[in-house]
Amino acid sequence: MASDLSNLFPARFNSFLWIKKISPGAWFSSFYFLALLPWLGKNRLLGLDESFYANVAKAEVRDHHWLPLYFLGRPYWEKPPLLHWLHGLSLGLGGPPEASLRIWSALAGAWSLYFIYRLASQLAGGPSGGVACALLLGLQKHFILYSRLATMDMALLCCLLGSWWKISQALDSPHSQAGHPLLRAGLWLAAGILVKAWFGLVLLPAAGIVLYYRKPWPFSKRQLFALFFLPGLTALLGWLAAYASLFGKSFWDWEWNHNVSGRFFSGGWSSPENTRYHLDFYADLTRQGFAYLWPLLPLGLFSWVRAVWEDSRRKRFDPLKIIGVFFFFYYLFFILWGMATLINYLLPLSGAAAVGLGFLFRSQGKNQDHWAAVSAFLLAMLNGLTDNRWASLIFPLSFAPCLFPLNHFLPGLKPFWFRAGAVTLMVTASYGALDYWRHPPDPNHAWVATVLAHPARYPGEPLIFVGENTDARALEFYCDYRIQAVDDLPRQRPNEAILFGHEKEAVFFPALR
């Protein structure tokens, strides 16, 4: 009997050994997703693109407008349908509407952190650096915000990171094993196109650079086209052909005049005033949304470029490094600066920046590198804890650590101080994100509560809303009113109902009878 028991327990224990094979990145991303779930429905829809896409999903479920899509009674062709269909499916299953719509962004955010872990682990030389980079990015306010917004942006970041990771794997695989990661890279590319149209292609220039320099390939040209380029090309042509057949010339006019040329002609290169506005806008956004991250970026990028330069001198071309550094600078100057200023454009750049921080966690770093990293950690903690009050001073100081690796006369610094600085930075970043995590911004709470307390007498009843048009779209998701946004209260009382904000409270005047 005793021998039977002794044989039984090891057998049961061995059945759980698969748990040990799960990577730290998978554990971390799973925990991140589960931690997001209780808070997805805590705040009402925000007046960003979230309110726009929510009304498209509402039309799918209520009016069965699955293809073509509709927005407030008008045909909608601004984005491919993939994520809109997912929003409609989850919304139709019931539950809190905000959580139902945001579940896909939460999943994409968790998956993005998994890819950050895999990419940064390769650059850092170990899993601890990968976990640190994923954790640091996941605790930034801007990343948390878009992990629980029903928009396309976190899904796009996930697709870009997935394609980046898989094509790097394919180029570093033996000949017989390169096909599978190459196909997955192509499928992630296709998914990015079906999520956010042309923006799914922004990784291709970086991929082209590495394909040019990294030879011989472990796959043939035919495999490269069939497995990597063909899925994306099929997705792109399928989306364009479907929308052209549904909407005709109107779709092409909007696609070219607004979505392509319109964005560039209103971008930062259009005039000195626009350039100045772009720089101020993104600087303020970075300070507010990445307080614990941006003081590390100059050193991270310096280390990244230095590593690529050293590899090129030795005639080595690491696809992971080349894709990352080229994508960062290409996106920075071409997309972030060249196109119309939008808050969500910064998100893909933050993923590449977090991966670049993996160089700070290299176990084989020299004393000078440790001094530089610890100094950058201190600046990041100072900036986050002071809530950006000293940002104008910290910004120029954040470039100083880049000079430390060039100084060979610095005294030795024990690895303990580097590890202590990294852990302290993670703890302080967690503290800074805790309140934002539990209390997400909810500017439309009072308006939504008021409009729900005074339902429309009939679908389409007019309501004048004194506020932003984006907030009016959010209100239309919750009610049957046809809302018209205006800047100021009308001088004379109109026949329609009026809803406006006063001292952060919503005031409702019913329609005149």
Side-chain angles (χ1 to χ4, degrees):
M1 183 69 177
S3 61
D4 292 340
L5 290 175
S6 63
N7 293 330
L8 179 63
F9 283 111
R12 289 185 174 179
F13 177 75
N14 290 335
S15 65
F16 292 98
L17 289 181
W18 61 270
I19 297 177
K20 298 177 63 176
K21 298 180 181 180
I22 300 177
S23 70
W27 282 115
F28 173 70
S29 60
S30 300
F31 176 79
Y32 193 86
F33 175 71
L34 294 175
L36 284 171
L37 289 181
W39 313 101
L40 289 182
K42 186 175 177 61
N43 59 326
R44 307 291 72 78
L45 295 178
L46 297 181
L48 302 169
D49 289 341
E50 183 178 39
S51 61
F52 197 104
Y53 302 144
N55 280 287
V56 175
K58 181 181 178 180
E60 291 174 337
V61 176
R62 185 188 63 184
D63 305 324
H64 307 290
H65 289 312
W66 294 91
L67 193 67
L69 302 173
Y70 273 79
F71 170 73
L72 300 181
R74 303 189 303 273
Y76 169 84
W77 54 60
E78 292 194 13
K79 295 292 185 295
L82 176 61
L83 206 55
H84 293 300
W85 286 342
L86 295 177
H87 286 159
L89 288 174
S90 57
L91 185 65
L93 293 176
E98 299 89 357
S100 300
L101 290 167
R102 293 165 176 163
I103 188 72
W104 302 106
S105 290
L107 184 62
W111 214 338
S112 296
L113 292 181
Y114 172 75
F115 288 130
I116 292 289
Y117 161 79
R118 298 303 298 264
L119 291 162
S121 294
Q122 291 290 99
L123 298 183
S128 59
V131 171
C133 292
L135 179 61
L136 188 58
L137 178 62
L139 293 174
Q140 304 304 308
K141 289 183 178 180
H142 195 69
F143 192 90
I144 297 171
L145 172 68
Y146 276 92
S147 293
R148 54 188 185 197
L149 276 185
T151 64
M152 312 291 170
D153 305 291
M154 189 57 73
L156 174 64
L157 175 62
C158 178
C159 294
L160 294 176
L161 292 173
S163 186
W164 178 7
W165 168 241
K166 288 303 177 181
I167 195 173
S168 299
Q169 273 192 316
L171 286 166
D172 281 336
S173 298
H175 179 77
S176 60
Q177 302 175 12
H180 293 294
L182 186 64
L183 175 60
R184 291 178 184 136
L187 293 176
W188 280 116
L189 172 66
I193 294 171
L194 291 177
V195 164
K196 207 173 180 185
W198 308 101
F199 287 92
L201 300 172
V202 297
L203 194 67
L204 278 185
I209 291 291
V210 76
L211 288 171
Y212 178 80
Y213 283 106
R214 181 63 180 265
K215 294 178 181 178
W217 302 332
F219 39 76
S220 65
K221 292 182 179 179
R222 180 177 297 180
Q223 284 179 305
L224 177 65
F225 176 77
L227 299 180
F228 181 66
F229 287 106
L230 186 58
L233 184 63
T234 302
L236 180 64
L237 294 179
W239 159 59
L240 291 175
Y243 275 28
S245 63
L246 288 171
F247 306 115
K249 186 175 181 296
S250 299
F251 166 67
W252 291 113
D253 290 342
W254 181 90
E255 190 66 37
W256 174 251
N257 293 326
H258 174 77
N259 202 30
V260 179
S261 61
R263 294 181 187 271
F264 283 99
F265 288 135
S266 59
W269 294 330
S270 59
S271 67
E273 292 76 14
N274 270 352
T275 299
R276 192 178 308 110
Y277 173 77
H278 271 56
L279 295 176
D280 292 342
F281 177 86
Y282 286 121
D284 184 66
L285 176 61
T286 304
R287 287 195 297 267
Q288 299 300 322
F290 298 103
Y292 289 92
L293 181 63
W294 69 258
L296 301 173
L297 296 189
L299 179 60
L301 290 175
F302 170 83
S303 303
W304 199 335
V305 173
R306 182 182 64 170
V308 171
W309 173 254
E310 291 175 351
D311 286 349
S312 66
R313 295 182 65 183
R314 296 194 295 266
K315 304 300 181 182
R316 292 183 65 253
F317 299 98
D318 185 345
L320 191 83
K321 297 177 184 176
I322 297 176
I323 291 177
V325 73
F326 183 79
F327 173 67
F328 187 95
F329 286 106
Y330 159 80
Y331 197 94
L332 177 67
F333 291 106
F334 184 68
I335 300 294
L336 203 61
W337 188 18
M339 298 185 68
T341 315
L342 290 173
I343 185 174
N344 50 355
Y345 283 1
L346 200 62
L347 194 62
L349 196 66
S350 69
V355 171
L357 297 182
F359 285 101
L360 306 185
F361 295 88
R362 282 178 174 271
S363 59
Q364 67 271 25
K366 302 175 183 178
N367 287 331
Q368 297 92 328
D369 295 330
H370 284 163
W371 274 107
V374 170
S375 301
F377 291 159
L378 292 174
L379 288 174
M381 284 185 282
L382 178 63
N383 186 69
L385 291 174
T386 58
D387 198 22
N388 301 290
R389 285 194 297 270
W390 294 349
S392 59
L393 175 62
I394 291 175
F395 178 72
L397 289 178
S398 65
F399 289 88
C402 300
L403 302 176
F404 291 177
L406 306 177
N407 189 338
H408 299 283
F409 301 100
L410 289 172
L413 185 68
K414 294 183 178 180
F416 165 79
W417 294 108
F418 172 83
R419 291 192 291 267
V423 170
T424 305
L425 176 61
M426 302 306 159
V427 172
T428 53
S430 302
Y431 174 78
L434 184 61
D435 184 68
Y436 190 83
W437 193 291
R438 294 184 294 112
H439 302 101
D442 198 3
N444 291 327
H445 173 76
W447 292 326
V448 171
T450 303
V451 82
L452 290 177
H454 302 86
R457 293 172 297 177
Y458 57 89
E461 180 182 2
L463 184 146
I464 296 177
F465 172 67
V466 183
E468 297 290 336
N469 187 53
T470 53
D471 296 326
R473 294 200 306 247
L475 287 179
E476 287 188 313
F477 177 81
Y478 292 98
C479 66
D480 289 327
Y481 286 104
R482 179 176 55 83
I483 298 179
Q484 176 188 358
V486 296
D487 295 330
D488 300 299
L489 274 172
R491 293 186 178 182
Q492 294 182 348
R493 178 71 184 276
N495 293 328
E496 296 87 353
I498 303 175
L499 176 70
F500 73 99
H502 176 67
E503 295 182 355
K504 298 184 179 180
E505 293 185 0
V507 180
F508 179 87
F509 294 118
L512 294 175
R513 296 183 182 272

